[in-house]
Amino acid sequence: MTNLVVATGNPGKLKEMQAYLIDSGWELMLKPEELEIEETGETFAANACLKASQVALATGNWSIADDSGLAVDALNGRPGVYSARYGNSDTERIDRLLKELSNQENRQAKFVCAIAISRPDGAIVLQTEGICRGEILYAPQGNGGFGYDPIFYVPEQNLTYAEMTPEMKRSISHRGKAFTDLLQKLPNLQ
Ligand code: IMP
């Protein structure tokens, strides 16, 4: 099995990636704690690439990174790459977004997940992106999930992300779609 270093310090993210990549033949490992990568990119894809590339170069291993967030049409794509930094807690981030959107009638939005894989020499050899379109509600609905889940409504399911079972969210979500695409491309990699 080839080692694949996950460019995150978050054990939760490692676990989630392990679940998606269980039969892929790669051995996933957390990046060294002291290795901090600043997310300076202006797009999700740019951030995924820079994280994967820098972790690969620093560790001498293959590396995988993801970057995700919520882009709201009427806010010109905000919070976008700033999704995690839009406030100090999930509640603060949701409150800020709802305030900025106010009574705006156009509530269209999308969740995006970009994933990149880098070779040990820092070269990006695989990139993929998953998108899930939906609408921002006027108030939170549902108790599951995390982050912006309670205000993200998916019309096809007639549910918010926070009202879906984890299995349903995985099958239709931005992250689920990105990993499905990644799994199809992985066998051609090495
Ligand atoms: P990152 O991908 O770890 O940089 O996180 C991006 C941020 O986007 C998270 O902190 C959440 O605020 C938000 N986000 C990404 N994916 C989801 C999701 O599936 N549901 C809710 N919020 C999400």
Side-chain angles (χ1 to χ4, degrees):
M1 272 212 210
T2 313
N3 286 340
L4 185 62
V5 181
V6 180
T8 179
N10 179 347
K13 207 169 235 185
L14 175 73
K15 222 169 145 194
E16 190 180 313
M17 285 203 188
Q18 250 155 358
Y20 282 116
L21 300 176
I22 191 117
D23 296 321
S24 68
W26 294 81
E27 173 99 40
L28 268 64
M29 307 160 58
L30 264 184
K31 77 163 174 58
E33 216 175 309
E34 63 279 6
L35 183 61
E36 297 265 4
I37 317 285
E38 233 191 301
E39 299 184 8
T40 53
E42 286 182 11
T43 62
F44 298 110
N47 277 334
C49 289
L50 77 87
K51 285 190 274 187
S53 198
Q54 289 187 29
V55 168
L57 279 172
T59 62
N61 282 297
W62 289 75
S63 172
I64 184 169
D66 79 335
D67 197 48
S68 59
L70 178 63
V72 180
D73 292 3
L75 299 178
N76 296 319
R78 282 200 318 274
V81 291
Y82 302 103
S83 293
R85 294 165 267 177
Y86 226 46
N88 293 318
S89 64
D90 283 344
T91 312
E92 255 186 54
R93 287 184 275 270
I94 286 178
D95 284 352
R96 177 172 171 191
L97 184 64
L98 290 181
K99 216 167 269 159
E100 286 182 355
L101 208 46
S102 181
N103 286 327
Q104 166 69 245
E105 276 179 24
N106 175 7
R107 317 288 294 188
Q108 299 296 315
K110 62 180 176 183
F111 262 117
V112 182
C113 174
I115 308 176
I117 293 187
S118 170
R119 262 187 346 215
D121 66 358
I124 298 295
V125 289
L126 199 159
Q127 276 190 75
T128 181
E129 198 162 87
I131 291 176
C132 179
R133 290 211 62 96
E135 293 161 21
I136 303 298
L137 296 182
Y138 287 85
Q141 210 170 284
N143 298 312
F146 71 99
Y148 300 92
D149 281 356
I151 53 167
F152 188 74
Y153 171 79
V154 184
E156 289 77 15
Q157 265 67 36
N158 192 21
L159 294 170
T160 65
Y161 264 7
E163 294 172 315
M164 294 179 192
T165 61
E167 295 73 34
M168 185 188 285
K169 184 181 168 192
R170 261 201 302 278
S171 72
I172 62 110
S173 76
H174 51 307
R175 200 167 293 104
K177 287 178 183 165
F179 273 100
T180 301
D181 186 52
L182 183 92
L183 283 170
Q184 281 168 5
K185 293 173 174 165
L186 263 184
N188 310 323
L189 207 59
Q190 291 185 67

PDB file of all heavy atoms in Angstrom, residues 2-4 24 26 62-64 116-120 123-127 182-190:
ATOM      1  N   THR A   2       0.490   2.254  -0.781  1.00  0.00           N
ATOM      2  CA  THR A   2       1.249   3.503  -0.800  1.00  0.00           C
ATOM      3  C   THR A   2       0.668   4.457   0.241  1.00  0.00           C
ATOM      4  O   THR A   2      -0.550   4.566   0.375  1.00  0.00           O
ATOM      5  CB  THR A   2       1.129   4.176  -2.192  1.00  0.00           C
ATOM      6  OG1 THR A   2       1.368   3.194  -3.184  1.00  0.00           O
ATOM      7  CG2 THR A   2       2.119   5.316  -2.330  1.00  0.00           C
ATOM      8  N   ASN A   3       1.574   5.137   0.971  1.00  0.00           N
ATOM      9  CA  ASN A   3       1.107   6.117   1.954  1.00  0.00           C
ATOM     10  C   ASN A   3       0.536   7.339   1.257  1.00  0.00           C
ATOM     11  O   ASN A   3       1.070   7.795   0.253  1.00  0.00           O
ATOM     12  CB  ASN A   3       2.271   6.581   2.840  1.00  0.00           C
ATOM     13  CG  ASN A   3       2.671   5.511   3.826  1.00  0.00           C
ATOM     14  OD1 ASN A   3       1.895   4.611   4.118  1.00  0.00           O
ATOM     15  ND2 ASN A   3       3.898   5.604   4.324  1.00  0.00           N
ATOM     16  N   LEU A   4      -0.531   7.880   1.824  1.00  0.00           N
ATOM     17  CA  LEU A   4      -1.143   9.104   1.310  1.00  0.00           C
ATOM     18  C   LEU A   4      -1.389  10.001   2.518  1.00  0.00           C
ATOM     19  O   LEU A   4      -2.203   9.670   3.389  1.00  0.00           O
ATOM     20  CB  LEU A   4      -2.461   8.755   0.603  1.00  0.00           C
ATOM     21  CG  LEU A   4      -3.218   9.869  -0.102  1.00  0.00           C
ATOM     22  CD1 LEU A   4      -2.385  10.482  -1.232  1.00  0.00           C
ATOM     23  CD2 LEU A   4      -4.536   9.333  -0.689  1.00  0.00           C
ATOM     24  N   SER A  24      -9.525   1.747  -1.570  1.00  0.00           N
ATOM     25  CA  SER A  24      -8.745   2.352  -2.655  1.00  0.00           C
ATOM     26  C   SER A  24      -7.313   1.824  -2.741  1.00  0.00           C
ATOM     27  O   SER A  24      -6.610   2.064  -3.718  1.00  0.00           O
ATOM     28  CB  SER A  24      -8.686   3.870  -2.461  1.00  0.00           C
ATOM     29  OG  SER A  24      -7.915   4.168  -1.314  1.00  0.00           O
ATOM     30  N   TRP A  26      -4.908   2.772  -0.715  1.00  0.00           N
ATOM     31  CA  TRP A  26      -3.996   3.778  -0.161  1.00  0.00           C
ATOM     32  C   TRP A  26      -4.074   3.734   1.359  1.00  0.00           C
ATOM     33  O   TRP A  26      -5.150   3.533   1.927  1.00  0.00           O
ATOM     34  CB  TRP A  26      -4.383   5.188  -0.619  1.00  0.00           C
ATOM     35  CG  TRP A  26      -4.216   5.427  -2.082  1.00  0.00           C
ATOM     36  CD1 TRP A  26      -5.093   5.057  -3.058  1.00  0.00           C
ATOM     37  CD2 TRP A  26      -3.122   6.084  -2.739  1.00  0.00           C
ATOM     38  NE1 TRP A  26      -4.607   5.452  -4.281  1.00  0.00           N
ATOM     39  CE2 TRP A  26      -3.408   6.082  -4.117  1.00  0.00           C
ATOM     40  CE3 TRP A  26      -1.945   6.670  -2.296  1.00  0.00           C
ATOM     41  CZ2 TRP A  26      -2.555   6.641  -5.060  1.00  0.00           C
ATOM     42  CZ3 TRP A  26      -1.085   7.241  -3.235  1.00  0.00           C
ATOM     43  CH2 TRP A  26      -1.402   7.214  -4.601  1.00  0.00           C
ATOM     44  N   TRP A  62       3.098  10.964  -1.096  1.00  0.00           N
ATOM     45  CA  TRP A  62       1.908  11.412  -1.813  1.00  0.00           C
ATOM     46  C   TRP A  62       1.009  12.125  -0.803  1.00  0.00           C
ATOM     47  O   TRP A  62       1.033  11.804   0.389  1.00  0.00           O
ATOM     48  CB  TRP A  62       1.143  10.220  -2.396  1.00  0.00           C
ATOM     49  CG  TRP A  62       1.829   9.551  -3.541  1.00  0.00           C
ATOM     50  CD1 TRP A  62       2.908   8.721  -3.488  1.00  0.00           C
ATOM     51  CD2 TRP A  62       1.469   9.647  -4.930  1.00  0.00           C
ATOM     52  NE1 TRP A  62       3.239   8.299  -4.746  1.00  0.00           N
ATOM     53  CE2 TRP A  62       2.373   8.846  -5.649  1.00  0.00           C
ATOM     54  CE3 TRP A  62       0.465  10.330  -5.625  1.00  0.00           C
ATOM     55  CZ2 TRP A  62       2.304   8.715  -7.029  1.00  0.00           C
ATOM     56  CZ3 TRP A  62       0.390  10.197  -7.000  1.00  0.00           C
ATOM     57  CH2 TRP A  62       1.309   9.402  -7.692  1.00  0.00           C
ATOM     58  N   SER A  63       0.226  13.115  -1.267  1.00  0.00           N
ATOM     59  CA  SER A  63      -0.638  13.835  -0.336  1.00  0.00           C
ATOM     60  C   SER A  63      -1.988  14.148  -0.978  1.00  0.00           C
ATOM     61  O   SER A  63      -2.083  14.347  -2.187  1.00  0.00           O
ATOM     62  CB  SER A  63       0.051  15.128   0.097  1.00  0.00           C
ATOM     63  OG  SER A  63      -0.831  15.928   0.845  1.00  0.00           O
ATOM     64  N   ILE A  64      -3.022  14.170  -0.132  1.00  0.00           N
ATOM     65  CA  ILE A  64      -4.368  14.547  -0.593  1.00  0.00           C
ATOM     66  C   ILE A  64      -4.876  15.699   0.266  1.00  0.00           C
ATOM     67  O   ILE A  64      -4.630  15.725   1.473  1.00  0.00           O
ATOM     68  CB  ILE A  64      -5.344  13.338  -0.516  1.00  0.00           C
ATOM     69  CG1 ILE A  64      -6.723  13.714  -1.087  1.00  0.00           C
ATOM     70  CG2 ILE A  64      -5.495  12.810   0.901  1.00  0.00           C
ATOM     71  CD1 ILE A  64      -7.656  12.515  -1.306  1.00  0.00           C
ATOM     72  N   ALA A 116      -7.471  17.688  -4.265  1.00  0.00           N
ATOM     73  CA  ALA A 116      -6.275  17.566  -5.107  1.00  0.00           C
ATOM     74  C   ALA A 116      -5.356  16.505  -4.522  1.00  0.00           C
ATOM     75  O   ALA A 116      -5.278  16.332  -3.304  1.00  0.00           O
ATOM     76  CB  ALA A 116      -5.539  18.903  -5.180  1.00  0.00           C
ATOM     77  N   ILE A 117      -4.668  15.792  -5.411  1.00  0.00           N
ATOM     78  CA  ILE A 117      -3.656  14.812  -4.982  1.00  0.00           C
ATOM     79  C   ILE A 117      -2.326  15.214  -5.594  1.00  0.00           C
ATOM     80  O   ILE A 117      -2.238  15.546  -6.789  1.00  0.00           O
ATOM     81  CB  ILE A 117      -4.043  13.375  -5.392  1.00  0.00           C
ATOM     82  CG1 ILE A 117      -5.273  12.939  -4.605  1.00  0.00           C
ATOM     83  CG2 ILE A 117      -2.885  12.411  -5.160  1.00  0.00           C
ATOM     84  CD1 ILE A 117      -5.672  11.486  -4.787  1.00  0.00           C
ATOM     85  N   SER A 118      -1.295  15.211  -4.738  1.00  0.00           N
ATOM     86  CA  SER A 118       0.038  15.593  -5.205  1.00  0.00           C
ATOM     87  C   SER A 118       0.999  14.400  -5.117  1.00  0.00           C
ATOM     88  O   SER A 118       0.912  13.590  -4.183  1.00  0.00           O
ATOM     89  CB  SER A 118       0.583  16.734  -4.339  1.00  0.00           C
ATOM     90  OG  SER A 118       1.947  16.961  -4.630  1.00  0.00           O
ATOM     91  N   ARG A 119       1.896  14.342  -6.084  1.00  0.00           N
ATOM     92  CA  ARG A 119       2.997  13.369  -6.032  1.00  0.00           C
ATOM     93  C   ARG A 119       4.018  13.839  -4.995  1.00  0.00           C
ATOM     94  O   ARG A 119       4.017  15.013  -4.620  1.00  0.00           O
ATOM     95  CB  ARG A 119       3.710  13.373  -7.398  1.00  0.00           C
ATOM     96  CG  ARG A 119       3.297  12.276  -8.316  1.00  0.00           C
ATOM     97  CD  ARG A 119       4.120  12.209  -9.580  1.00  0.00           C
ATOM     98  NE  ARG A 119       4.960  13.320  -9.937  1.00  0.00           N
ATOM     99  CZ  ARG A 119       5.191  13.716 -11.184  1.00  0.00           C
ATOM    100  NH1 ARG A 119       4.591  13.111 -12.196  1.00  0.00           N
ATOM    101  NH2 ARG A 119       6.013  14.723 -11.456  1.00  0.00           N
ATOM    102  N   PRO A 120       4.925  12.949  -4.551  1.00  0.00           N
ATOM    103  CA  PRO A 120       5.923  13.374  -3.552  1.00  0.00           C
ATOM    104  C   PRO A 120       6.758  14.576  -4.002  1.00  0.00           C
ATOM    105  O   PRO A 120       7.268  15.315  -3.170  1.00  0.00           O
ATOM    106  CB  PRO A 120       6.800  12.128  -3.382  1.00  0.00           C
ATOM    107  CG  PRO A 120       5.899  10.991  -3.719  1.00  0.00           C
ATOM    108  CD  PRO A 120       4.989  11.488  -4.802  1.00  0.00           C
ATOM    109  N   ALA A 123       4.066  17.770  -7.542  1.00  0.00           N
ATOM    110  CA  ALA A 123       3.267  17.948  -8.762  1.00  0.00           C
ATOM    111  C   ALA A 123       1.835  17.454  -8.526  1.00  0.00           C
ATOM    112  O   ALA A 123       1.627  16.337  -8.042  1.00  0.00           O
ATOM    113  CB  ALA A 123       3.894  17.176  -9.917  1.00  0.00           C
ATOM    114  N   ILE A 124       0.860  18.287  -8.875  1.00  0.00           N
ATOM    115  CA  ILE A 124      -0.552  17.891  -8.749  1.00  0.00           C
ATOM    116  C   ILE A 124      -0.893  16.950  -9.903  1.00  0.00           C
ATOM    117  O   ILE A 124      -0.751  17.310 -11.075  1.00  0.00           O
ATOM    118  CB  ILE A 124      -1.479  19.131  -8.798  1.00  0.00           C
ATOM    119  CG1 ILE A 124      -1.178  20.071  -7.619  1.00  0.00           C
ATOM    120  CG2 ILE A 124      -2.949  18.722  -8.792  1.00  0.00           C
ATOM    121  CD1 ILE A 124      -1.475  19.520  -6.240  1.00  0.00           C
ATOM    122  N   VAL A 125      -1.342  15.736  -9.554  1.00  0.00           N
ATOM    123  CA  VAL A 125      -1.624  14.759 -10.607  1.00  0.00           C
ATOM    124  C   VAL A 125      -3.115  14.462 -10.738  1.00  0.00           C
ATOM    125  O   VAL A 125      -3.541  13.811 -11.677  1.00  0.00           O
ATOM    126  CB  VAL A 125      -0.859  13.437 -10.363  1.00  0.00           C
ATOM    127  CG1 VAL A 125       0.620  13.636 -10.606  1.00  0.00           C
ATOM    128  CG2 VAL A 125      -1.105  12.915  -8.963  1.00  0.00           C
ATOM    129  N   LEU A 126      -3.889  14.926  -9.781  1.00  0.00           N
ATOM    130  CA  LEU A 126      -5.332  14.689  -9.881  1.00  0.00           C
ATOM    131  C   LEU A 126      -6.089  15.805  -9.165  1.00  0.00           C
ATOM    132  O   LEU A 126      -5.733  16.201  -8.057  1.00  0.00           O
ATOM    133  CB  LEU A 126      -5.656  13.345  -9.218  1.00  0.00           C
ATOM    134  CG  LEU A 126      -6.975  12.651  -9.561  1.00  0.00           C
ATOM    135  CD1 LEU A 126      -6.876  11.178  -9.227  1.00  0.00           C
ATOM    136  CD2 LEU A 126      -8.135  13.265  -8.841  1.00  0.00           C
ATOM    137  N   GLN A 127      -7.118  16.315  -9.847  1.00  0.00           N
ATOM    138  CA  GLN A 127      -7.959  17.347  -9.238  1.00  0.00           C
ATOM    139  C   GLN A 127      -9.403  17.016  -9.524  1.00  0.00           C
ATOM    140  O   GLN A 127      -9.726  16.548 -10.617  1.00  0.00           O
ATOM    141  CB  GLN A 127      -7.688  18.692  -9.905  1.00  0.00           C
ATOM    142  CG  GLN A 127      -6.523  19.457  -9.368  1.00  0.00           C
ATOM    143  CD  GLN A 127      -6.530  20.869  -9.946  1.00  0.00           C
ATOM    144  OE1 GLN A 127      -7.318  21.703  -9.547  1.00  0.00           O
ATOM    145  NE2 GLN A 127      -5.654  21.127 -10.886  1.00  0.00           N
ATOM    146  N   LEU A 182     -13.398  11.248  -7.694  1.00  0.00           N
ATOM    147  CA  LEU A 182     -12.009  10.923  -7.366  1.00  0.00           C
ATOM    148  C   LEU A 182     -11.755   9.411  -7.433  1.00  0.00           C
ATOM    149  O   LEU A 182     -10.755   8.956  -7.981  1.00  0.00           O
ATOM    150  CB  LEU A 182     -11.693  11.428  -5.953  1.00  0.00           C
ATOM    151  CG  LEU A 182     -10.272  11.221  -5.484  1.00  0.00           C
ATOM    152  CD1 LEU A 182      -9.445  12.464  -5.816  1.00  0.00           C
ATOM    153  CD2 LEU A 182     -10.190  10.960  -3.987  1.00  0.00           C
ATOM    154  N   LEU A 183     -12.700   8.637  -6.888  1.00  0.00           N
ATOM    155  CA  LEU A 183     -12.530   7.175  -6.857  1.00  0.00           C
ATOM    156  C   LEU A 183     -12.467   6.584  -8.260  1.00  0.00           C
ATOM    157  O   LEU A 183     -11.785   5.593  -8.498  1.00  0.00           O
ATOM    158  CB  LEU A 183     -13.672   6.530  -6.068  1.00  0.00           C
ATOM    159  CG  LEU A 183     -13.531   6.650  -4.550  1.00  0.00           C
ATOM    160  CD1 LEU A 183     -14.798   6.211  -3.845  1.00  0.00           C
ATOM    161  CD2 LEU A 183     -12.342   5.834  -4.049  1.00  0.00           C
ATOM    162  N   GLN A 184     -13.174   7.223  -9.196  1.00  0.00           N
ATOM    163  CA  GLN A 184     -13.127   6.730 -10.582  1.00  0.00           C
ATOM    164  C   GLN A 184     -11.778   7.019 -11.225  1.00  0.00           C
ATOM    165  O   GLN A 184     -11.310   6.276 -12.074  1.00  0.00           O
ATOM    166  CB  GLN A 184     -14.233   7.393 -11.408  1.00  0.00           C
ATOM    167  CG  GLN A 184     -15.577   6.745 -11.139  1.00  0.00           C
ATOM    168  CD  GLN A 184     -16.738   7.545 -11.696  1.00  0.00           C
ATOM    169  OE1 GLN A 184     -16.552   8.547 -12.366  1.00  0.00           O
ATOM    170  NE2 GLN A 184     -17.940   7.097 -11.400  1.00  0.00           N
ATOM    171  N   LYS A 185     -11.150   8.134 -10.811  1.00  0.00           N
ATOM    172  CA  LYS A 185      -9.898   8.534 -11.431  1.00  0.00           C
ATOM    173  C   LYS A 185      -8.665   7.914 -10.757  1.00  0.00           C
ATOM    174  O   LYS A 185      -7.613   7.814 -11.358  1.00  0.00           O
ATOM    175  CB  LYS A 185      -9.759  10.062 -11.393  1.00  0.00           C
ATOM    176  CG  LYS A 185     -10.784  10.773 -12.260  1.00  0.00           C
ATOM    177  CD  LYS A 185     -10.707  12.282 -12.058  1.00  0.00           C
ATOM    178  CE  LYS A 185     -11.614  13.026 -13.025  1.00  0.00           C
ATOM    179  NZ  LYS A 185     -11.813  14.435 -12.611  1.00  0.00           N
ATOM    180  N   LEU A 186      -8.809   7.501  -9.480  1.00  0.00           N
ATOM    181  CA  LEU A 186      -7.662   7.019  -8.697  1.00  0.00           C
ATOM    182  C   LEU A 186      -6.882   5.866  -9.333  1.00  0.00           C
ATOM    183  O   LEU A 186      -5.639   5.882  -9.308  1.00  0.00           O
ATOM    184  CB  LEU A 186      -8.127   6.577  -7.311  1.00  0.00           C
ATOM    185  CG  LEU A 186      -7.994   7.563  -6.163  1.00  0.00           C
ATOM    186  CD1 LEU A 186      -8.418   6.886  -4.865  1.00  0.00           C
ATOM    187  CD2 LEU A 186      -6.586   8.102  -6.029  1.00  0.00           C
ATOM    188  N   PRO A 187      -7.563   4.856  -9.887  1.00  0.00           N
ATOM    189  CA  PRO A 187      -6.802   3.699 -10.405  1.00  0.00           C
ATOM    190  C   PRO A 187      -5.800   4.064 -11.493  1.00  0.00           C
ATOM    191  O   PRO A 187      -4.831   3.345 -11.702  1.00  0.00           O
ATOM    192  CB  PRO A 187      -7.887   2.785 -10.979  1.00  0.00           C
ATOM    193  CG  PRO A 187      -9.133   3.183 -10.261  1.00  0.00           C
ATOM    194  CD  PRO A 187      -9.003   4.649 -10.001  1.00  0.00           C
ATOM    195  N   ASN A 188      -5.972   5.181 -12.189  1.00  0.00           N
ATOM    196  CA  ASN A 188      -5.061   5.548 -13.277  1.00  0.00           C
ATOM    197  C   ASN A 188      -3.872   6.372 -12.797  1.00  0.00           C
ATOM    198  O   ASN A 188      -3.116   6.915 -13.603  1.00  0.00           O
ATOM    199  CB  ASN A 188      -5.807   6.385 -14.321  1.00  0.00           C
ATOM    200  CG  ASN A 188      -7.094   5.729 -14.744  1.00  0.00           C
ATOM    201  OD1 ASN A 188      -7.144   4.526 -14.850  1.00  0.00           O
ATOM    202  ND2 ASN A 188      -8.130   6.531 -14.938  1.00  0.00           N
ATOM    203  N   LEU A 189      -3.709   6.485 -11.487  1.00  0.00           N
ATOM    204  CA  LEU A 189      -2.797   7.494 -10.963  1.00  0.00           C
ATOM    205  C   LEU A 189      -1.306   7.146 -11.044  1.00  0.00           C
ATOM    206  O   LEU A 189      -0.506   7.933 -11.513  1.00  0.00           O
ATOM    207  CB  LEU A 189      -3.186   7.783  -9.514  1.00  0.00           C
ATOM    208  CG  LEU A 189      -2.834   9.152  -9.000  1.00  0.00           C
ATOM    209  CD1 LEU A 189      -3.505  10.207  -9.857  1.00  0.00           C
ATOM    210  CD2 LEU A 189      -3.304   9.293  -7.566  1.00  0.00           C
ATOM    211  N   GLN A 190      -0.940   5.973 -10.497  1.00  0.00           N
ATOM    212  CA  GLN A 190       0.501   5.701 -10.312  1.00  0.00           C
ATOM    213  C   GLN A 190       1.143   5.080 -11.554  1.00  0.00           C
ATOM    214  O   GLN A 190       0.493   4.349 -12.262  1.00  0.00           O
ATOM    215  CB  GLN A 190       0.695   4.764  -9.131  1.00  0.00           C
ATOM    216  CG  GLN A 190       0.354   5.454  -7.818  1.00  0.00           C
ATOM    217  CD  GLN A 190       0.661   4.576  -6.634  1.00  0.00           C
ATOM    218  OE1 GLN A 190       1.820   4.281  -6.340  1.00  0.00           O
ATOM    219  NE2 GLN A 190      -0.369   4.151  -5.934  1.00  0.00           N
TER     220      GLN A 190
END
